[in-house]
Amino acid sequence: MTDGTTVGSLFDSHPLIIGEIAVLLDVNEPGKKNWRQLADRFDVPKSDSQNFGESIQGNPTEELLEYVTKCLNPEMTVGYLQSILEDLQMWEALDVLTKSKEG
């Protein structure tokens, strides 16, 4: 995986990376940085993003990333996602991507 790898391709090639990020960002507690901040940053319409957290079996972060890579930015790269995570100070999720690129 490189900075130029598309995020959408990670669903097939590195699903554990998507899963790790999802676990870190699926928290829904006041004051916690989570997938909702990411959705706002990607300008996902509220009418769409509110559905991501509704499914009991679904994973909001995975649904968000899948939506973004299919509907809004199919060419979104890992490098771009890293820059967004850094801007939002989502350090743990950023570490998952950084460590995955190193090893």
Side-chain angles (χ1 to χ4, degrees), residues 2-40:
T2 66
D3 281 350
T5 302
T6 62
V7 174
S9 71
L10 295 180
F11 282 91
D12 293 325
S13 65
H14 295 84
L16 294 178
I17 293 172
I18 296 292
E20 282 185 63
I21 292 170
V23 167
L24 293 169
L25 298 181
D26 282 353
V27 294
N28 196 15
E29 301 171 17
K32 288 268 193 176
K33 294 177 175 23
N34 63 33
W35 64 271
R36 292 179 193 274
Q37 285 183 298
L38 205 53
D40 289 344

Side-chain angles (χ1 to χ4, degrees), residues 66-81:
E66 191 169 3
Y67 174 88
V68 170
T69 59
K70 287 185 177 180
C71 300
L72 300 179
N73 188 354
E75 300 302 316
M76 181 173 65
T77 64
V78 169
Y80 180 72
L81 178 58

Side-chain angles (χ1 to χ4, degrees), residues 41-58:
R41 182 60 185 264
F42 288 129
D43 294 322
V44 174
K46 293 269 189 225
S47 58
D48 292 333
S49 68
Q50 69 187 13
N51 296 325
F52 299 150
E54 296 297 317
S55 171
I56 294 173
Q57 294 179 349

